[in-house]
């Protein structure tokens, strides 16, 4: 584990000129503030760096705005994009009134979830492995004002560009078809080199990468698979992965987005989350039940299924999230589990070793705040274990092609952000155990997200002109 002195040594060895303090807001976006080396020393690790918390959406009001950023020395790395050598430190947000992690700080919430797992006696470590998909476009334009709204995506890989002579690919005709982007070699996959650059950057920053490839959708859908780790570190790595993805794409003159459903009529981007709970070096999810799972793992699944609609508010936190969660686009809307069926919301991957035994929750998407997402999934799973919530029989049929009478018996995820927020409001007790999430945070989160719901609700949409203009 790195120490403050290790950070000081890194600064000296690299002749760093600045230190960048980073933290994550409620929506999951990293924020930062930078200090020159002349104003940085080991005292920052003890006393923190003061900032105005009232300026962060969903945080304290102006009457109680003073907060502290407490840097974690184990997170230090040299930023690969700044002109001047800069050491980056991920921070916890601390309330100076009591010296504790701020109850609305996502990283502090994630730390409390890890502590709650240990205090429960169930396990001592939770491992998480997210798979955030994303799109790389050549450009994107949008406009929203009183005169109307418009959107245009530019992509040389787009199937809709097959009739264009100046599409950026020289009209060569090599591009993925709709739902045809999975694994073709170049030149159909035109983004290999960009992804490779992202991978090399991630590895230079200490984020282990296992694979990269083009994903199913046309117009530049990609995935970079990174290694699993403990809850907080894996959330830290996810934030680094997003930062690198955005900035490498920008260096190539392109633009990357983790938006769940940026294009119509093709697959959206999910963030499947692999999970397991361990104790004393033993994987508690390995056993002799269905697909090699333990009874404890089945109870964990039962907790996620029970609380899925409340979880949706955190794992699928945008209005756009629910344009992905529709049947037939590999979107797992059915609340069931299966070892074979990718239409189920929870899958048990095939593995060769009991150490790798895990579950994969498939409904989250990549605009979810990773600290909040992983913490909420863990709390739901622990509730399932504590209350022995069995998930019922597995679903080994294609859940999209069931007879109506069978289909009606299988619950689904929420169909809108508003529905998810309503369920979070009603089903919150499992999140507040051990003080992991506070009721104050839940209330503030619902209020923040309802602003997004209302903005969409009040904005006239071009499709409405199609539907109603001539009525």
């Amino acid at each position: 584990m790195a120490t403050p002195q290790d950070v000081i040594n890194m600064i000296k060895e690299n002749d760093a000129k600045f230190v960048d303090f980073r933290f994550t807001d409620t929506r999951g976006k990293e924020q930062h503030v930078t200090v020159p080396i002349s104003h940085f020393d080991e005292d920052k690790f003890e006393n923190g760096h003061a900032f105005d918390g009232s300026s962060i959406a969903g945080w304290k009001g102006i009457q109680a705005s003073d907060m502290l950023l407490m840097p974690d020395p184990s997170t230090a790395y040299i930023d690969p994009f700044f002109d001047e050598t800069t050491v980056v430190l991920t921070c916890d947000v601390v309330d100076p009134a009591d010296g504790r992690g701020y109850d609305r700080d996502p990283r502090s919430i994630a730390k409390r979830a890890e502590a709650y797992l240990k205090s429960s006696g169930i396990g001592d470590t939770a491992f998480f492995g997210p798979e955030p998909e994303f799109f790389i476009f050549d450009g994107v334009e949008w406009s929203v004002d009183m005169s109307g709204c418009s959107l245009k995506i530019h992509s040389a890989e787009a199937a809709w560009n097959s009739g264009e002579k100046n599409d950026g690919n020289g009209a060569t005709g090599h591009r993925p078809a709709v739902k045809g982007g999975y694994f073709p070699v170049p030149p159909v996959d035109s983004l290999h080199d960009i992804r490779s650059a992202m991978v090399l950057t991630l590895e230079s920053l200490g984020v282990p990468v296992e694979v990269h490839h083009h994903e199913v959708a046309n117009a530049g859908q990609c995935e970079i698979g990174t290694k699993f780790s403990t809850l907080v570190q894996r959330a830290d790595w996810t934030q680094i992965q997003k930062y690198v993805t955005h900035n490498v794409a920008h260096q190539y003159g392109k633009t990357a987005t983790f938006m769940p459903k940026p294009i119509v009529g093709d697959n959206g981007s999910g963030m499947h989350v692999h999970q397991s709970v361990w104790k004393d070096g033993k994987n508690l999810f390995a056993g002799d039940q269905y697909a090699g799972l333990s009874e404890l793992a089945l109870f964990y699944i039962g907790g996620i299924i029970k609380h899925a609609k409340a979880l949706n508010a955190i794992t699928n936190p945008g209005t756009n999230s629910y344009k992905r969660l529709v049947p037939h686009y590999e979107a797992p809307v059915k609340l069931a589990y299966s070892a074979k069926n990718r239409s189920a919301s929870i899958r048990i991957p095939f593995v060769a070793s009991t150490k790798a035994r895990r579950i994969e929750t498939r409904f989250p998407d990549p605009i979810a705040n990773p600290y909040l997402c992983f913490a909420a999934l863990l709390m739901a799973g622990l509730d399932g274990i504590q209350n022995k919530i069995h998930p019922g029989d597995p679903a080994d049929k294609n859940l999209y092609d069931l007879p109506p009478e069978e289909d009606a018996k299988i619950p689904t995820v929420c169909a809108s952000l508003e529905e998810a927020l309503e369920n979070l409001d009603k089903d919150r007790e499992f999140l507040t155990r051990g003080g992991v999430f506070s009721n104050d945070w839940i209330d503030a989160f619902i209020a923040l997200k309802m602003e997004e719901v209302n903005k969409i609700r009040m904005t006239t949409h071009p499709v409405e002109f199609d539907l109603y203009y001539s009525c």
Side-chain angles (χ1 to χ4, degrees):
M1 184 66 70
T3 66
Q5 186 58 51
D6 292 328
V7 177
I8 299 299
N9 293 341
M10 177 186 287
I11 290 170
K12 291 178 179 178
E13 290 168 5
N14 293 277
D15 192 24
K17 299 296 190 292
F18 296 93
V19 173
D20 204 46
F21 297 118
R22 297 197 183 170
F23 64 99
T24 298
D25 66 15
T26 299
R27 289 193 174 107
K29 184 65 177 174
E30 271 196 305
Q31 309 290 334
H32 77 140
V33 60
T34 311
V35 298
I37 293 302
S38 60
H39 282 70
F40 178 84
D41 55 33
E42 284 195 57
D43 286 347
K44 289 289 187 184
F45 294 99
E46 291 291 331
N47 302 320
H49 181 84
F51 78 107
D52 178 8
S54 68
S55 298
I56 306 301
W59 284 19
K60 281 189 178 292
I62 197 168
Q63 76 281 1
S65 60
D66 292 336
M67 305 297 289
L68 292 174
L69 294 174
M70 299 299 294
D72 182 343
S74 69
T75 64
Y77 65 85
I78 303 294
D79 190 283
F81 304 108
F82 292 157
D83 289 337
E84 299 294 342
T85 305
T86 302
V87 171
V88 175
L89 288 166
T90 300
C91 300
D92 298 313
V93 180
V94 169
D95 191 332
D98 57 16
R100 297 179 179 176
Y102 178 36
D103 72 346
R104 298 190 194 180
D105 169 38
R107 196 169 191 264
S108 295
I109 289 172
K111 282 189 166 183
R112 290 195 291 271
E114 287 189 316
Y116 178 71
L117 169 63
K118 292 178 182 178
S119 70
S120 72
I122 293 170
D124 52 39
T125 308
F127 287 113
F128 286 80
E131 301 178 273
E133 297 167 336
F134 58 95
F135 281 85
I136 300 174
F137 299 136
D138 294 326
V140 62
E141 305 165 35
W142 71 84
S143 173
V144 182
D145 59 33
M146 292 178 70
S147 69
C149 53
S150 63
L151 164 68
K152 183 67 176 178
I153 292 170
H154 304 279
S155 170
E157 275 200 3
W160 63 80
N161 265 336
S162 60
E164 297 293 325
K165 292 183 179 179
N166 298 309
D167 62 4
N169 271 3
T172 63
H174 298 296
R175 58 175 55 79
V178 173
K179 294 179 72 69
Y182 199 64
F183 280 26
V185 297
V188 176
D189 174 8
S190 68
L191 300 168
H192 175 90
D193 288 337
I194 297 178
R195 293 195 308 273
S196 291
M198 293 172 179
V199 167
L200 293 176
T201 304
L202 284 168
E203 290 191 321
S204 75
L205 301 182
V207 180
V209 179
E210 297 178 333
V211 67
H212 77 80
H213 59 86
H214 203 290
E215 259 297 345
V216 173
N218 83 107
Q221 191 182 36
C222 297
E223 182 178 319
I224 296 174
T226 50
K227 191 177 180 181
F228 70 91
S229 189
T230 54
L231 192 158
V232 173
Q233 184 175 66
R234 187 52 263 195
D236 289 343
W237 286 355
T238 303
Q239 294 300 77
I240 294 173
Q241 185 173 356
K242 286 187 172 184
Y243 179 68
V244 167
T245 300
H246 283 135
N247 280 280
V248 170
H250 189 72
Q251 288 182 328
Y252 274 78
K254 297 182 183 291
T255 178
T257 180
F258 290 89
M259 190 175 177
K261 193 72 171 178
I263 60 175
V264 180
D266 209 338
N267 285 42
S269 292
M271 184 176 72
H272 304 160
V273 181
H274 298 254
Q275 301 148 76
S276 61
V277 175
W278 291 55
K279 187 174 185 178
D280 299 327
K282 180 183 178 182
N283 184 358
L284 301 182
F285 277 21
D288 58 2
Q289 304 285 308
Y290 176 78
L293 294 178
S294 64
E295 186 178 51
L296 180 141
L298 290 173
F299 291 153
Y300 189 99
I301 291 171
I304 290 178
I305 290 176
K306 176 184 177 182
H307 298 295
K309 285 180 177 286
L311 288 171
N312 282 153
I314 297 170
T315 61
N316 308 89
T319 58
N320 184 255
S321 298
Y322 300 89
K323 290 178 169 62
R324 165 184 169 257
L325 290 177
V326 293
H328 307 300
Y329 285 92
E330 296 190 12
V333 297
K334 289 294 186 179
L335 293 172
Y337 70 103
S338 176
K340 304 174 182 177
N341 192 345
R342 290 176 182 265
S343 62
S345 60
I346 297 176
R347 189 174 74 92
I348 298 90
F350 172 79
V351 294
S353 167
T354 57
K355 288 186 176 181
R357 190 74 63 207
R358 62 192 186 273
I359 70 162
E360 176 191 5
T361 306
R362 294 173 62 83
F363 55 77
D365 66 54
I367 62 168
N369 182 319
Y371 300 101
L372 303 176
C373 175
F374 304 162
L377 288 169
L378 177 63
M379 295 302 288
L382 292 179
D383 179 61
I385 294 169
Q386 290 162 333
N387 291 290
K388 294 181 168 54
I389 302 169
H390 198 280
D393 295 331
D396 289 330
K397 297 180 180 179
N398 184 341
L399 298 175
Y400 298 140
D401 295 320
L402 294 176
E405 61 275 11
E406 287 187 49
D407 184 66
K409 295 177 182 178
I410 301 177
T412 64
V413 297
C414 290
S416 70
L417 178 57
E418 185 172 14
E419 181 188 351
L421 295 171
E422 289 171 354
N423 277 276
L424 175 61
D425 194 21
K426 293 183 294 185
D427 180 20
R428 59 169 71 190
E429 188 272 334
F430 75 98
L431 292 170
T432 61
R433 291 176 195 165
V436 176
F437 291 82
S438 68
N439 281 303
D440 179 67
W441 179 88
I442 293 171
D443 291 339
F445 181 79
I446 291 172
L448 180 69
K449 288 296 171 177
M450 278 304 299
E451 292 177 9
E452 299 173 19
V453 170
N454 288 328
K455 186 170 185 178
I456 294 294
R457 178 184 286 162
M458 293 187 295
T459 301
T460 303
H461 193 283
V463 172
E464 292 175 307
F465 279 77
D466 268 350
L467 295 172
Y468 312 122
Y469 191 79
S470 292
C471 289

